[in-house]
Structures are given as structure tokens and as C-alpha cells.
Amino acid sequence: MDLEAGFHQKHVKKESWKTVLVLAYQSLGVVYGDLSTSPLYVYKNTFEEDIQHSQTNEEIYGVLSFVFWTLTLVPLLKYVFIVLRADDNGEGGTFALYSLLCRHARVNSLPGCQLADEELIEYKKDGGVGLAPESNFGSRLKSTLEKHRVLQRFLLVLALIGTCMVIGDGILTPAISVFSAVSGLVLSMSKEHHKYVEVPVACIILICLFALQHYGTHRVGFLFAPVVVIWLLCISAIGLYNIIHWDPHVYRALSPYYMYIFLRKTQRGGWMSLGGILLCITGSEAMFADLGHFSQLSIKIAFTSFVYPSLVLAYMGQAAYLSQHHIIESDYRIGFYVSVPEKLRWPVLVIAILAAVVGSQAIITGTFSIIKQCSSLGCFPRVKIVHTSSEIHGQIYIPEINWLLMVLCLAVTLSFRDTRRMGNAAGLAVITVMLVTTCLMSLVIVLCWQKSVFLAIGFVLFFGTIEALYFTASLIKFLEGAWVPIALSFIFLIVMCIWHYGTLKKYEFDVQNKVSIDWLLTLGPDLGIVRVRGIGLVQTELVSGIPAIFSHFVTNLPAFHQVLVFLCIKSVPVPHVRPEERFLVGHIGPREFRLYRCIVRYGYRDVHKDDIEFEKDLVCSIAEFIRSTSGSPTKVNEDPENDDDKMMVVGTCSTHSDRIQMNEEEDADNIETAGPSELKEIHSPPTIKPRKRVRFIVPDNPEIDSGAREELQELMEAREAGVAYILGNSYVRAKKGSSLIRKLVINYGYEFLRKNSRPPSTYALTVPHVSTLEVGMIYHV
């Protein structure tokens, strides 16, 4: 499935109808797999316990009315017509809303924020800071959020709770979808034998599903949309048949009056059954979360023209069948398959299992994606991220998370062994995510869209009341399965909070202990040490100043490379950073010191480059900085906090053909000066058996001075000698006098996560071990 086309086309304002329809078709397999399989278990979970003993047509019609209006108000009205408009430069999801709020109210919890980040094109797009006049209430709310750290932390925790529930959904949805799909096997065997078949078959399918994740979905992704299309056509056709054959007047149940009759008659049992009804909207959040792969219009067309009518027909058909079959012979007679004509049950069973696998695959991929976003924003331990496709945007695989999801998913399936408790657990996870989205959306309406506060209050009251009703109905079943997402989310939330807290404290230690620029100036151009050939990349999280790791290193080993680059790779609260804005480059100290600071900025959805291409872009960006600042006097900034003032935005080699280019092939070793309309080439001097020959192709205009030419030549020599990565390996300890809680969090919690997570040395790059040097330091925070 070509999702990359969707990623690129979402930026185009005027799309052709052909493109929109193709994206709408593709979205069926990615976005709506989970939502389309909900008819497998909604009625079974609703009637199985709370109201099964008093089932009448009024109750069946009441449930159908609730399902219809829930589908209409939440996925259709809330998500399709409102929430989809709150995209973050084309990206959706909980973190997209949080990212929007971070940029508009400056409540970003990421360390190392700079004013230069606010100049990013993506930062300003879609209602960025200062693009529209704010209302009085909006400006007061913004000021309040910026002043009170408690509110900022609460906003972050709210976003993390939604994220944790999405992860919980990634565990529960595959379990209930696959288990409900294979439950059709029981109709062809006795009740004594089905328990020996249903659970093993479901577990085998789940194991195969997770075991194949590392291959990626791009090889079989083209089958996803056809499977969901066939499934939706199948359930809508069966629904239409049941309506005509069993109860043509079932359409009367669409009246909201039947909801009132239902609650009046069933009372507490009916209210508790809402926990099963809300399962009809599982997967609705995917419409917003997967927005980055498609366009708003394509997702809206797919849902309104095909998914929504098909689901309504399917639920009406099941209600029509149940209205004529009140006597329940077994626990499974109220399930989806009993309403399927007997001759079609086996083909429908196969299609249902395939659709359940597709829906599960979508939520698993979404879980990988949101964990990557959390990790990029410093809210989750570093994990190995594998890009399974070089062509399709967003196709990633995280080995540690995949196997953890599989173990937890199998544990849920083996321990519950029925859809009722699985449904209670999945329902609470789904409705919690929707409540978080509602709360964040209300702030987006005021702060980002600059709309009236009464509109935001109306949004919260209307949709919040509906979702709160379902939330309470799910929460009341805490002991019957609803405790699972709460427990899982609590564990993940603790992990995220500990990691985020430790990361912030570690950064604060770096800021407080960075080396003064005066100390550097007293060393002279040679820094008081031996300068060896090559480029030394000193990893640091500081965006200004000199890290303590540098003085720690030269104190113990008085030798360093002829070109030093203090490299900071950081994430900014935008989904993507354009290549032409990737690098911020500047001098540290006078030019003859050959010390540079390079800040590499990535969005939370960006794909990090491999080490070879990254090194080339890095060297090119420094060379372009040298050329661009040629002829300007070097000013030493005595205040390292103001490094932004003397840093320059430089793009990658491929972004501008009129800028400096680098060639690493073998070539002659001389310096040529071309005519005014040509290019001039600066070649490095000959060396004895060099491993590679480097040359810069420099535009002739503007002219560069001799100092810059000498600086470029030295950079080429250093590049030829190779690149060494100097990485900090920090051990974090709570300082003396800390409270017991801080000691537990830092000494045990954060240190345990740090030791068992991926080292920061990777930068998401494959750094060769022979070129890596680690410097250990103890941080007392």
C-alpha cells in the first residue's frame, strides 16, 4: 500500500479527485480495520450479562438506538467534522494536540528550547504563534499556563495518560478482535469442545501476528484495503438481508425515543450495558491518529460514504435478527455469527479473521508510532526503532515493545478467555483516550483557533457528557476486566514520568556545570592540548555553552582532534523539520580555535538518517557556514546563553544546489579558481595513501577570503582523517540531602531504565564502535 503518496499529497492544497479517492480507498485498510470489526462483539458484550434475562424488542431497539447515535455523534460529528481539523501540519493524535498547545502557549516540557526553533516553517504553519489576534480570555489562559508550572505538568500528564491508554488499546484490541473472530468456530462444534479450540487458535494467530511484525506491512499492505472492503460489504449485505427477512420495521429503532425507553425499563442494568455499547466506536481515534498518512478529505469520504453506512446496516441487521429470536439457547447465540445465514458462516468466518488481523495490525503499528513520538519528546526510554520500509512513511518496528505487547496480549487472552471481560477492558481504554482528546481539543479551540470560550465549553459539555456517561459505565466494571487498562496505564505512566523527570534533572545538571567561555579563551588556539588529525564529534544535550564532559576529557587525556564539533541532536514540538532548516551551526570562540556547535533538529515524526549520510550533511553544513560567514569578523560571545545570536540555519547538501557541495571521490590535489560564471574547487593537499579524497565545490559568488579558504582546507583534511564520536556515559545519582522519594526515583528508577534502554550514543544512527569513545561522568542531581 503506497502510504507515501498520502503523506506527500496531504500538503497539497488542491488535490485531484482521483488522488483523494485513491487515498480514501487506502485508508480503509489502515484507519478503519479496528472500527469495522466492532460488530463482532458489541451485541454479545451488551446483552451477555446485564440485560440478557429480560430481553425484549424494546431493549433490542434501545441498544440499536444507542449504537446508531453513538456512531453518529462521536466518530461522525466529533472526529470527522471537528477533531480532524486540529491537525499539527497534517499529523494527528494525542501528541499532535499537545504539540499544538506547546507552541501556542509555550508550555513545552522539552529541554533545550530556543527562540530559533520558533522560526521553523512548520512551527508557524496552521495557526502558529502570533498568527491571529487572541481573545481576552485566550490571552489570559495562555499567560496562566505559561506562569504556572503545575498546570504545565498537568497538561503533560494528561497527554501521557491518553498515550498510555493508546498503548493499552494496542494490547487489548488484538486480543478481543481475534478472539471474537475465531468464536465463530463454536457454532460448528459442541460446547464441551469449543473451549479447547477457541483459545489455542486465537493464541496461535496472535503469536504469528506479532512474530511477523519485523518484516513490516509494506509487503502485504496492498491486501489490507481489499480485506476491509470485502468485510464491510459482507456485513452490510448480511445486515440488509436480515432487515428484509426478519424485521423490515427495525428502522424505527433509530429514533432517540427508544434510548429513553431502554434506560427507563432497564435502569441500572441498562446503564451498565453502556460499557458494551461503547465498543461500537473502538478504533474511532485512529481516524485522527493516522491522519499523517492521508488527507482529511480522504478520511472523511471513506467514513461518511462507506464505513458509516455499512456499520449502521450491520447493526440494524443484527437487531432485526435478535428481535425475532428472543430465546437464547447458549452463551454464544447472541454473538455476531448467529445472525449470519448458515451456508455463509465458514466464508464469513475466514473474512472476519482476516479483518481482525488487519485491524490488529493497524493498532500495533499505531502503538509503535506513538511510542516513537514519546521517545522523541523525552517521555519514554530510548528504544531501538527499525524502519521496515525505505519508501513508505511511518512504517516502523520496535522489537522490545513488540514482544512486550505480545506477552501482555497473550496473558489477557489466556486469563480472560471471554469477550465480556476483554470488552470491559478495551472499552475503558478507548473512552479514556476520547476524554483526553476532548479536554485537549477544548484548549486548542481557545488557544490555537482563537475561538470563543463558550464554544470550547459547549464542546466539552456536549461530548464530555456523552463520554463521561460511557466512562462511568466502564469504570463500574473495574473488577470484571476494567482494571487491566488502568493497571497497564499506571505502570507505563510511572515509567514515562520517571524517565522524563530524570532527563530534565540531568539536563539541568549539564546547564549548571557547563564550562565558562573564559576558561576556553585562556587556553589559546591549541586549547593547551595536542590537536590530532580528524573531526571529533562531542555529543551533548546542551544548545549553548561548553559541556562539562569536554573539560573532564581534556583534563584526563590532553589530546583532541583538529576540528571539534559540539553536536546536539534534539527534537522540537513539530511533526517534521524541513531539510533546509535541519542544522543550526555556529563558532565557539574565535575562528582559529576550530570549534563549532551544530544543533540538529528533528520533528517527532521525522526519520533519522544513517551515519554515512548524516556525517556528509554535517560536514557540508559546517562548510557552508564557513563560506557564508567569510569576510565577517568573528565576535566572541562572552555570554554562552546567547549562542542563538551568532548561529546560522543551514540546510542539507541536497536542499540547495547553489551552496557548497562535497565530493569524496578520488581526484587531483590542487586548488582551482574558476571564472565568474563557473564553480571553483578547493582540493585538499596530497597525503600518503589516503583512505578517501575529499573536495568541496564552492560557488564563486560571493568571494571567500583566505581565512575561510584555510578553514575549509583544514576541515577537508580532518574529514579525510575520519570522524570520531565522543559520547558521554553518565551515571545519575541523587545528591546528598535529597528526599527518600527522589533517591528512589533517581538512584533506582531512572538508573534501571537508563541501563536497560538504548544508549544515547546511537542518535538513531549506527555509530561504528571503532570510532566511538565514551567518557564516564557521575551526575549528582
Side-chain angles (χ1 to χ4, degrees), residues 389-403:
S389 173
S390 59
E391 299 177 354
I392 301 177
H393 168 73
Q395 290 292 331
I396 61 174
Y397 166 69
I398 304 177
E400 302 95 329
I401 301 300
N402 180 67
W403 302 123

Side-chain angles (χ1 to χ4, degrees), residues 253-298:
L254 303 183
S255 170
Y257 173 73
Y258 283 93
M259 291 192 290
Y260 167 73
I261 296 295
F262 174 78
L263 292 177
R264 186 184 67 178
K265 184 174 182 180
T266 57
Q267 297 180 358
R268 187 175 186 274
W271 168 62
M272 293 181 65
S273 70
L274 295 180
I277 294 173
L278 77 87
L279 294 175
C280 71
I281 54 175
T282 55
S284 299
E285 187 74 20
M287 285 193 287
F288 186 45
D290 293 330
L291 182 60
H293 299 310
F294 307 97
S295 63
Q296 290 185 27
L297 184 58
S298 62

